[in-house]
Amino acid sequence: LHKAFVWFSACGARGNLFGGAYKIMASDLTTVLIPGGDSSDTGTPVVGSFERGSLQRASQARDEHTTEEELKGLTDADVLRRREESGWNEIPEKIIPIWYMVVKQLMGPMPYMIEAATVLSVALLQWAPFGILLAILIINTAIGFHEEKKAKDALDGLKSEMISTVPCKRNGEMVTLNVRELVPGDIIFLRGGNIVPADSRWLEGDVFQVDTAALTGEALPRKVPSDQYGVDLLSGCVVKQGEGFCVVDKVGVHTEIGAGMIAIQDKAEVQMGFFEQKIMTVVAAIITITIIDIIALTLLETVGRGHALYAGGQNSVLLWDLAIMVAAVPIALPLVIQVTMAIGASTMAEKKAIITHLTALQEIASMKVLCSDKTGTLTTANMTIIPPSIYVTEGFTQEQVLTWAAIASNPNNKEDPIDQAVFRGFEQYFGTEKSAEIISEYKIHQFMGFNPVTKRTVVRTTHGKQPLVISKGLLNKVLNTRHGMPKGEEDDGELQWEVEKLSEIGEAVKDADLKLSFKGYKTIAVAVRKPRSIDNPNDGPMVLAGIVPMLDPPRVDTEETIYRIRNGMIEVKMITGDHLNIAKETARLINLGTNILPASALQSEQPETLKKLILDCDGFAQVLPRDKKEVVMTLQNMGMVVGMTGDGVNDAPALAQAQIGIAVDGATEAAKAAADIILTTPGLSAIFDAVIESRKIFQRLLAYILYRMAATVQIVLVLTLLICIYDHMIDPLYVILLALFNDVTMTPISSDNVKPSKKPDIPTIEYIVGMACLFGFLSTAETLIYYQYVNLWDQPSLQGGGELDYSDKSDDIQIEIDGRRENVWDIRSAATYVQISIAVEILIFSCRTTGWFFLDMPSWGLIIGVMGANIMVSFCAVYGVIVTPALDWGYVANIWLYDIAWLFVIDASKMLVNYLTGNSHSDHLDYVNLPTTAAAAAQAPGSGIRPSTASSSHSFLERASLRASLRAAATSDPMAAARQSYKPRGSSLRPSTPGNVARARGDNAFAVDDVLGDAALASAASPLIGGQR
């Protein structure tokens, strides 16, 4: 009765799947073996065992989910009721009004300051400053609005491409619906090529081959339904083969992909970069100090000295306030940043990388950790044969085994990943022309395809005059076609055999297969027979030729790119949803490091333990989308700038969370929408290009920021001290022109010659403020000394002789210059303006490098811009254009010599400070090639303790000890490592019964069942898990 119940339950639950093709092992009442029930149609061997409890659950599935009433579909009333509960099958759009995007650009410390200065210039009827300030305000607003609108349009474009329809049963009839209209409980029809529109459950029909790479990172399709993967279908997966009915479980934001899309909605808004945040923090601090300074000066002049707040003319206190206000604001900062970013984006576009968010080019310079998905990112996402790893038996070669595997594959089965992997590896090994020539030498007489029962293909062919029978498939079914069958019975294959000398070679062959499985390879076996006649295929012994390993191979440039990135002191970690052993083998092939941990390791309850674990490992396997995001967030919480590369829907949350999200070539639309950089050609080399370009951009922006902050400090301090000490003010128009003219002439800095630093550029407020103050204070001293020097120079020429009375601002105090009499205060104001203008312009040469300025050649654009501006100011000063009264050439020549001499003083001070603080960068990042020897590879960046993480809060010895202990645990006792990784998440493994082994196999990181047959696993399970072997 028990056997009958088990048989009835199995057929009731799965009868529509396999047409009742079930085989029961009468010797084991606890296990039902269903050949093909859990093995891939592609030849991937998986043991198909059900526990009694699993069968009971499967038998209930039909009653619970596929009742006749449910198959009729929902009524209109049902749809309305369920839509109220679950909403539409879409991601609610976060609509940003156009007016808000415009107004947003006018908010913030710097815009507020410019707006206040603009209003004040109108109140004071200063129309020239008003026009300049208004133009700057409009330009800055337009730049910000353009960037934000472009980001929104890009995301909207991606969403519009995702609209599709699906057949759905409503009111008992099949109709075509927009996927947006689906609700839980809808019955939908899916077939090969369809994207699963919502989280669903399989009901009835064919067995689906489902490509889940976009969500799980697995290179091979899953079989749904199956005991291993159940009946669930996640939204975003692609049905590769089969057709059937499914019921919708979850829609919209409640789906797995919906949660990921919610995480990327903020990408529609332009986020301020890490470096830019630091800059704006400094700007806000300077503006705050300036406001306090303006209030204090206003009180001093009006209350203390009795000046009128506004009395007309240059001595108006409000005019002085306006001048200081304009001097404090780096009005061209947004323009310079955007131009620099745009040039960098243009450079990256030439290298086939599209920058969707310009801030990413700032962030990569500071990136300390790059997390990467495996399938489709580090690898090609196309399974292929690894010819050097082909196992051959005595008398055969790897070329023969590879050729026969191709002959035994079906070239017309475009959807079969195993056959396609064989052909792909065959063509890559021999070349396209040679491989076609080899295939043409074989004449096919009969091809017997793969099916879930026989688990092998057989081909009768002739090569020249030599008849051949070639078989390819599951190792145990190729070794003995009766494997897994009741004693005395055969499977459905036309030809039956046991390979020659099976008792002698069986153990060695299965051991070789097991070793390949531990490395993450999927395997197929190849056997050959040489009958005397093609019409007698059973003539002669069947001989095992070899085992063909397959793996999703690394991209051609992956290893070199990782080496170069680590040479730039950036840690690289793999985070994949694929099996642990596959992740380790891939990591070994690309020299990433094999300390890959299962996702269960992320469940540590101690935050410090989790941080240390993430820091010291080389990556994680079998992770879910939320795990990837958690790793990124943990690293960010440790103060690191994190990059993430990926291609699938499962990568979207982590791509959105990371400061730099990179979608590789062929990525899904969800990944592209979440990314900041989209690669448009295969390979990862553009990532290192982006690192190089970003660090150059950082050097250029840092040079401009130091220059502009120093100029601001100098101008504000000079104006303040002139008022406090001399009760004198430079013409406000000069100050406005100084702030604007010097900023505009600095735009060539965006393409300056710079060398990227060897280490990540981590901007700190302390360094920016400290260096800006150093330059600013020295420049202030330079100007004040010059101002006093001018006083002494002018005294002999004062009309009527005598000492200069600083309290006397009458027009009667004149000086003779170039044969004419001019007001001494006007001359002093003009001369000080020229001195500040030239000094500030040439200061950029010192700001742009950490070394001596005369040893680092600027770009010709910057040289022409700076020197051209200074020459223009000199001519204006001599000929009285804008700068009045006019100065003579002697005055101007003295100013040039004086400012150049001070440039050497400032540069020497900079060198001393950089030396004392350790900010002098002598090493620079460049393109390096992979080491050619093993010894060189051992010393390569990233081997052992890598510099990027050695600089973390953990000591070198502590990290070395931890990494050594982790790797020792993974290598000294491989079986112990297998046991650790063998545990399903959140459970303990009890190996005493076959049922426990089958239950554990669902999350088995080493996937032994993928490469061993039923009996082989049964015989190997206990010693493997028990630690006896």
Side-chain angles (χ1 to χ4, degrees):
L1 287 175
H2 173 67
K3 290 181 181 178
F5 172 76
V6 170
W7 171 251
F8 178 80
S9 299
C11 292
R14 305 278 183 140
N16 288 329
L17 275 65
F18 307 107
Y22 295 88
K23 305 291 183 180
I24 306 297
M25 288 197 67
S27 61
D28 187 357
L29 297 183
T30 65
T31 304
V32 180
L33 292 183
I34 306 178
D38 291 291
S39 66
S40 169
D41 283 348
T42 63
T44 303
V46 180
V47 178
S49 302
F50 277 86
E51 281 189 85
R52 188 178 304 166
S54 300
L55 273 174
Q56 291 172 352
R57 289 191 296 272
S59 66
Q60 294 167 1
R62 175 79 178 180
D63 296 332
E64 292 175 357
H65 304 307
T66 57
T67 62
E68 294 300 324
E69 187 67 26
E70 188 177 31
L71 287 174
K72 292 181 181 179
L74 301 178
T75 64
D76 292 339
D78 293 332
V79 171
L80 291 176
R81 177 175 54 82
R82 298 190 182 200
R83 184 165 292 145
E84 289 180 359
E85 298 172 355
S86 61
W88 295 91
N89 185 31
E90 64 179 1
I91 309 302
E93 185 177 2
K94 188 176 181 180
I95 300 176
I96 304 174
I98 298 295
W99 66 264
Y100 175 77
M101 285 193 287
V102 174
V103 172
K104 184 180 176 182
Q105 312 310 318
L106 300 174
M107 301 168 64
M110 194 167 74
Y112 291 155
M113 200 71 165
I114 298 177
E115 291 157 14
T118 304
V119 172
L120 185 58
S121 62
V122 172
L124 298 175
L125 304 179
Q126 298 294 313
W127 302 116
F130 166 75
I132 295 172
L133 292 170
L134 183 62
I136 288 294
L137 196 60
I138 293 173
I139 292 172
N140 288 347
T141 301
I143 289 173
F145 173 76
H146 171 72
E147 290 302 318
E148 192 146 351
K149 185 68 165 55
K150 185 171 69 173
K152 182 178 183 298
D153 291 343
L155 192 61
D156 290 344
L158 289 170
K159 287 180 179 178
S160 66
E161 295 175 7
M162 299 178 191
I163 297 175
S164 59
T165 58
V166 64
C168 179
K169 207 165 191 179
R170 290 277 180 89
N171 300 308
E173 297 181 356
M174 293 301 297
V175 295
T176 300
L177 293 180
N178 188 312
V179 296
R180 177 178 181 268
E181 301 178 31
L182 293 177
V183 297
D186 265 330
I187 305 299
I188 57 176
F189 180 78
L190 299 177
R191 59 185 302 175
N194 290 156
I195 298 176
V196 181
D199 286 358
S200 309
R201 285 181 286 108
W202 180 93
L203 287 181
E204 65 176 27
D206 298 335
V207 179
F208 287 167
Q209 292 285 342
V210 183
D211 182 359
T212 64
L215 283 170
T216 66
E218 296 179 35
L220 284 176
R222 288 182 174 184
K223 194 171 185 179
V224 177
S226 66
D227 184 49
Q228 184 175 8
Y229 299 116
V231 295
D232 293 332
L233 297 165
L234 293 180
S235 176
C237 295
V238 179
V239 178
K240 305 294 287 186
Q241 284 185 0
E243 58 182 41
F245 288 94
C246 304
V247 59
V248 174
D249 261 349
K250 298 177 182 177
V251 298
V253 296
H254 307 291
T255 64
E256 189 76 24
I257 186 177
M261 292 300 292
I262 284 292
I264 69 174
Q265 278 194 338
D266 289 340
K267 288 289 181 175
E269 295 187 53
V270 174
Q271 304 296 322
M272 188 177 293
F274 182 69
F275 183 32
E276 197 170 344
Q277 290 176 7
K278 302 286 187 182
I279 294 172
M280 291 307 171
T281 301
V282 176
V283 170
I286 291 177
I287 289 175
T288 302
I289 295 172
T290 302
I291 292 174
I292 296 173
D293 179 59
I294 289 173
I295 295 172
L297 287 177
T298 301
L299 292 175
L300 172 66
E301 292 298 309
T302 55
V303 178
R305 294 177 176 173
H307 292 299
L309 194 61
Y310 179 66
Q314 182 178 331
N315 292 327
S316 173
V317 175
L318 284 180
L319 276 178
W320 296 356
D321 292 343
L322 175 62
I324 296 175
M325 191 180 297
V326 173
V329 182
I331 51 181
L333 176 61
L335 178 63
V336 172
I337 290 177
Q338 292 303 322
V339 170
T340 306
M341 294 292 103
I343 292 175
S346 177
T347 302
M348 290 307 303
E350 295 174 1
K351 298 179 179 180
K352 308 302 181 182
I354 299 173
I355 310 298
T356 59
H357 299 95
L358 291 180
T359 54
L361 284 177
Q362 301 174 32
E363 307 284 18
I364 299 181
S366 305
M367 183 171 67
K368 297 188 74 173
V369 181
L370 175 64
C371 300
S372 178
D373 177 43
K374 179 186 73 68
T375 306
T377 304
L378 299 175
T379 65
T380 63
N382 292 313
M383 293 287 289
T384 190
I385 289 173
I386 312 296
S389 298
I390 293 177
Y391 172 84
V392 295
T393 58
E394 185 178 357
F396 298 98
T397 65
Q398 291 179 333
E399 288 79 6
Q400 285 178 313
V401 174
L402 180 57
T403 300
W404 290 336
I407 298 300
S409 299
N410 185 357
N412 299 317
N413 192 355
K414 301 295 184 183
E415 298 297 331
D416 189 289
I418 298 297
D419 282 0
Q420 293 307 308
V422 170
F423 284 119
R424 190 179 298 113
F426 180 66
E427 290 184 1
Q428 289 174 352
Y429 185 81
F430 289 104
T432 304
E433 294 183 3
K434 181 65 176 177
S435 61
E437 180 183 337
I438 293 173
I439 293 291
S440 67
E441 295 174 357
Y442 289 80
K443 181 180 179 181
I444 306 299
H445 297 275
Q446 182 185 16
F447 187 92
M448 289 165 268
F450 183 94
N451 69 60
V453 178
T454 61
K455 300 182 182 179
R456 63 186 180 275
T457 63
V458 181
V459 60
R460 291 195 298 126
T461 180
T462 53
H463 184 220
K465 295 183 179 180
Q466 175 63 60
L468 294 172
V469 175
I470 304 171
S471 178
K472 166 183 70 69
L474 173 67
L475 174 64
N476 286 335
K477 297 296 284 185
V478 171
L479 291 176
N480 186 350
T481 57
R482 295 176 178 83
H483 171 76
M485 304 300 298
K487 188 174 182 180
E489 293 188 22
E490 299 179 347
D491 63 19
D492 297 341
E494 181 178 332
L495 301 179
Q496 303 289 317
W497 66 80
E498 179 182 292
V499 297
E500 187 179 40
K501 301 180 181 179
L502 176 59
S503 60
E504 299 178 14
I505 68 171
E507 184 175 350
V509 168
K510 292 178 180 178
D511 187 58
D513 196 42
L514 183 64
K515 289 179 180 178
L516 289 171
S517 76
F518 279 155
K519 292 183 178 181
Y521 290 101
K522 305 289 184 180
T523 59
I524 54 173
V526 176
V528 63
R529 170 184 285 161
K530 298 180 179 180
R532 284 171 290 185
S533 170
I534 193 63
D535 297 323
N536 187 11
N538 288 311
D539 179 32
M542 200 73 166
V543 182
L544 181 71
I547 301 173
V548 179
M550 288 170 289
L551 191 73
D552 180 13
R555 295 181 184 267
V556 292
D557 63 343
T558 296
E559 184 180 3
E560 184 175 62
T561 300
I562 289 176
Y563 178 81
R564 287 175 171 175
I565 290 174
R566 282 182 167 169
N567 187 50
M569 308 299 184
I570 299 173
E571 178 69 71
V572 182
K573 298 182 185 294
M574 177 194 297
I575 309 178
T576 178
D578 213 342
H579 288 293
L580 179 63
N581 50 336
I582 297 176
K584 286 190 173 185
E585 178 63 9
T586 302
R588 185 190 66 81
L589 291 174
I590 60 178
N591 279 321
L592 177 69
T594 57
N595 186 20
I596 309 294
L597 304 177
S600 56
L602 292 171
Q603 293 184 337
S604 172
E605 297 180 358
Q606 300 296 327
E608 292 305 316
T609 302
L610 180 62
K611 290 178 181 179
K612 184 180 294 186
L613 189 73
I614 292 175
L615 266 181
D616 290 288
C617 74
D618 294 307
F620 296 92
Q622 296 174 289
V623 299
L624 297 174
R626 61 175 177 269
D627 298 323
K628 295 186 178 186
K629 184 176 180 180
E630 179 184 356
V631 171
V632 172
M633 290 178 64
T634 302
L635 290 168
Q636 288 174 329
N637 291 337
M638 287 187 278
M640 296 185 182
V641 176
V642 182
M644 176 74 197
T645 67
D647 68 326
V649 175
N650 61 329
D651 301 316
L655 288 172
Q657 178 65 38
Q659 286 99 332
I660 312 104
I662 305 170
V664 300
D665 181 50
T668 61
E669 301 302 333
K672 291 179 181 178
D676 304 292
I677 302 174
I678 300 174
L679 308 186
T680 58
T681 55
L684 303 175
S685 58
I687 296 178
F688 184 70
D689 294 334
V691 172
I692 291 281
E693 189 63 30
S694 179
R695 292 188 184 180
K696 288 181 178 180
I697 288 173
F698 180 90
Q699 298 298 329
R700 292 163 182 156
L701 285 180
L702 181 62
Y704 172 77
I705 294 304
L706 291 179
Y707 151 80
R708 192 60 185 84
M709 295 298 103
T712 299
V713 171
Q714 177 191 10
I715 295 172
V716 171
L717 278 179
V718 166
L719 296 180
T720 301
L721 292 175
L722 286 181
I723 294 173
C724 293
I725 299 174
Y726 299 103
D727 197 19
H728 177 232
M729 183 63 181
I730 298 175
D731 190 333
L733 180 60
Y734 289 164
V735 178
I736 295 172
L737 288 175
L738 184 66
L740 176 64
F741 195 56
N742 287 7
D743 270 347
V744 171
T745 58
M746 283 300 116
T747 53
I749 193 71
S750 57
S751 57
D752 186 28
N753 296 331
V754 292
K755 296 176 182 178
S757 61
K758 181 81 169 183
K759 298 186 296 184
D761 294 304
I762 310 297
T764 62
I765 294 179
E766 292 80 4
Y767 178 78
I768 296 173
V769 172
M771 293 305 295
C773 288
L774 172 68
F775 289 126
F777 292 159
L778 289 173
S779 298
T780 300
E782 173 188 359
T783 300
L784 291 177
I785 290 173
Y786 177 78
Y787 190 87
Q788 184 63 35
Y789 164 79
V790 171
N791 292 345
L792 296 175
W793 181 276
D794 291 342
Q795 281 186 22
S797 300
L798 288 177
Q799 185 177 16
E803 294 290 332
L804 181 63
D805 182 5
Y806 292 114
S807 64
D808 187 358
K809 300 297 187 297
S810 68
D811 293 337
D812 296 333
I813 304 177
Q814 296 184 343
I815 185 175
E816 182 175 340
I817 180 172
D818 203 17
R820 67 182 187 278
R821 291 283 179 174
E822 298 290 352
N823 179 270
V824 66
W825 300 108
D826 293 340
I827 290 293
R828 183 168 289 104
S829 181
T832 303
Y833 163 69
V834 174
Q835 186 276 322
I836 294 176
S837 180
I838 294 176
V840 168
E841 287 282 348
I842 63 176
L843 181 64
I844 189 63
F845 295 136
S846 182
C847 293
R848 61 177 293 276
T849 177
T850 56
W852 293 104
F853 78 90
F854 48 83
L855 297 179
D856 197 341
M857 180 68 178
S859 66
W860 281 108
L862 185 61
I863 293 174
I864 293 171
V866 170
M867 302 312 292
N870 286 338
I871 292 171
M872 185 182 299
V873 168
S874 299
F875 272 91
C876 289
V878 171
Y879 294 102
V881 179
I882 301 178
V883 182
T884 57
L887 305 177
D888 60 21
W889 282 111
Y891 256 102
V892 175
N894 286 333
I895 291 172
W896 273 82
L897 293 174
Y898 181 79
D899 287 348
I900 291 173
W902 264 93
L903 178 62
F904 280 91
V905 174
I906 293 173
D907 206 49
S909 302
K910 173 200 71 179
M911 291 293 293
L912 178 61
V913 171
N914 281 337
Y915 174 77
L916 294 175
T917 58
N919 286 309
S920 181
H921 303 300
S922 56
D923 293 334
H924 302 288
L925 185 62
D926 204 350
Y927 291 87
V928 293
N929 296 321
L930 281 168
T932 56
T933 66
Q939 299 299 323
S943 62
I945 299 297
R946 290 182 283 278
S948 58
T949 54
S951 60
S952 70
S953 58
H954 304 288
S955 69
F956 178 88
L957 291 177
E958 183 183 359
R959 289 180 52 79
S961 175
L962 180 58
R963 292 185 71 95
S965 63
L966 287 174
R967 295 194 174 185
T971 56
S972 61
D973 184 3
M975 296 302 107
R979 290 193 300 275
Q980 180 64 29
S981 302
Y982 207 83
K983 296 180 181 179
R985 177 176 297 193
S987 69
S988 60
L989 186 62
R990 297 185 299 275
S992 57
T993 67
N996 289 331
V997 176
R999 181 164 54 247
R1001 238 189 9 262
D1003 285 336
N1004 177 12
F1006 277 90
V1008 179
D1009 51 331
D1010 285 352
V1011 290
L1012 294 177
D1014 307 352
L1017 177 64
S1019 63
S1022 293
L1024 171 66
I1025 299 170
Q1028 303 291 327
R1029 189 169 177 176

